[in-house]
Amino acid sequence: MIENISRKVLTSSLKELEEDGIILREVFKELPPRVEYTLTEKGKALIPIMCQLAKWNEEYYAEEIAL
């Protein structure tokens, strides 16, 4: 979850992730127009790494708050 992100920054980030093969963008030609993003296999391989980073952040962020 990303709070307070501008549409421009979000669009740019999604485009980079798509170019890097991390996500797949699917456009549905309907009214209103709709776009869905899914993780590719390459993106799914990042899930354990991201979970470890989140765990590390929780552990060390909690320490900083306690200080």
Side-chain angles (χ1 to χ4, degrees), residues 5-23:
I5 187 170
S6 70
R7 180 177 287 268
K8 181 180 178 182
V9 172
L10 176 60
T11 301
S12 175
S13 297
L14 288 170
K15 186 175 181 179
E16 283 184 39
L17 289 168
E18 184 181 11
E19 289 170 356
D20 291 340
I22 306 297
I23 61 172

Side-chain angles (χ1 to χ4, degrees), residues 50-64:
M50 298 304 291
C51 288
Q52 285 294 320
L53 284 171
K55 183 178 176 182
W56 176 87
N57 181 61
E58 288 173 11
E59 182 177 334
Y60 290 97
Y61 183 70
E63 280 184 14
E64 287 183 22

Side-chain angles (χ1 to χ4, degrees), residues 17-18 20-24 38-46:
L17 289 168
E18 184 181 11
D20 291 340
I22 306 297
I23 61 172
L24 179 64
T38 55
L39 287 173
T40 62
E41 288 303 313
K42 185 177 179 181
K44 289 177 185 176
L46 290 170

